[in-house]
Amino acid sequence: MFNSFGEIFRFTTFGESHGKAIGVVIDGVPAGVEFDEEFLKSELARRKPGKNRFATQRKEDDLPEVLSGVFEGKTTGTPISIVIFNKDQRSRDYSNIKDIFRPGHADFTYFHKYGIRDYRGGGRSSARETAARVAAGAVAKMILRELNIKIEAGVIEIGGVRAKNTDFEYAKISPLFALDSEAEKEWIDLIDKAREEHNSLGGVVKLRIKNLPVGLGEPVYYKLDNILASAMVSINAVKGVYIGNVDSHKLNGVENNDEIRKEGFLSNNAGGVLGGISNGEDVEIEIYFKPTPSIFKPQKSVDIYGNEVEVNLKGRHDPIVAIRGSVVTEAMAACVVVDMLLLNMTRKMEYIKKIYQ
Ligand SMILES: Cc1cc2nc3c(=O)[nH]c(=O)nc-3n(C[C@H](O)[C@H](O)[C@H](O)COP(=O)(O)O)c2cc1C
């Protein structure tokens, strides 16, 4: 239950960083969805490691195998299971920190909670698990595509330098998923400098959901914004989420309220959500990622026996996780939206009559 997400569109992920495979079982997918396996592959390719110098050099093909739930190109209404075999595990890179906790990573808490130290690439706490989420998100996007609902994301800030533009089309072709080609140049220098200095950087992702109907989101503990926030903070290294205009808390009421006319809202400081329910505007959120914890600078730590030690890391790591993380934010948003769409279908008698009368 704690490895699952969603109420009706519900997925469960399994696997560890250096285990045999990772994967996902997705339940609640309606029968008859056009299953686009090429799209699934392309989504995983967007997140996969080793593509360029802005990502970890671990080389994984991330080729999915669909084991169930699809027949003759359509979903069957039964659980869809997708497995991705790990190929490029190098557990020996971690042998020198076998008993040592990496500062900033989950080694310390996983060991103290479970009493087991799976030192191989972080085990289950590794963001390798997020490939399985991207597979679930790809299936969710196949449903959204049929409803013309679009989700897009890109990087808006790296190392404290914020983009001036938000060009989601540019983000699609940028190696950094950058929303701004000018800021991108500065970010590349910052990332190269951080790498030379054996350091890492944090960043911010902006995400937009277009063409949502009014009415998605359930009061009071399954609000659209609260579940989106929960979905995002469940992603490794995410430390914060802002719904709507990130300066709202600095504005006064006159400035912040989105006035309403017959044709719609005159602004979108609310980020498309009021009272936890979509208002028909674009849903806009920002997601804040901390710097990659695994860095190649000696740092102070302790080992599992309580001795004070110095950590010297080997291995391959993302210099900044927000870049690949942006693909994961899209996947999680897609899963949330599909779940909310399915839930909303039961919320009015007229909807139920449409099906049963
Ligand atoms: C796409 C993605 C890739 C990541 N890659 C790495 C990595 O290469 N090395 C690392 O130490 N952390 C990486 N992380 C972050 C860690 O998984 C995360 O910081 C760690 O599990 C501790 O959890 P917390 O930061 O949420 O507290 C990555 C995160 C994401 C979203």
Side-chain angles (χ1 to χ4, degrees), residues 277-296:
I277 297 172
S278 60
N279 67 5
E281 294 292 306
D282 291 351
V283 169
E284 297 205 346
I285 63 177
E286 288 197 17
I287 303 108
Y288 296 73
F289 287 83
K290 77 181 196 183
T292 318
S294 300
I295 50 175
F296 301 104

Side-chain angles (χ1 to χ4, degrees), residues 132-153:
R133 302 178 187 221
V134 170
V139 175
K141 282 185 181 180
M142 291 174 206
I143 299 172
L144 297 180
R145 194 153 70 177
E146 298 200 27
L147 300 168
N148 196 30
I149 294 171
K150 294 201 171 73
I151 296 182
E152 44 198 12

Side-chain angles (χ1 to χ4, degrees), residues 47 56 94 102 104-106 125-128 130 233 235-239 289-295 313 316-326 328:
R47 195 219 72 107
T56 170
Y94 291 84
R102 281 172 295 171
H105 216 290
S125 75
S126 162
R128 180 96 194 102
T130 61
V233 179
I235 300 170
N236 315 46
V238 170
K239 295 294 137 192
F289 287 83
K290 77 181 196 183
T292 318
S294 300
I295 50 175
L313 286 184
R316 300 155 294 175
H317 296 280
D318 289 271
I320 159 165
V321 302
I323 296 173
R324 294 202 299 135
S326 74
V328 187

Side-chain angles (χ1 to χ4, degrees), residues 237-264:
V238 170
K239 295 294 137 192
V241 177
Y242 209 114
I243 314 284
N245 181 351
V246 295
D247 287 322
S248 270
H249 62 285
K250 297 179 201 160
L251 304 179
N252 58 44
V254 172
E255 293 162 332
N256 189 56
N257 285 346
D258 302 311
E259 292 185 84
I260 318 173
R261 296 281 79 189
K262 275 192 216 151
E263 59 278 12

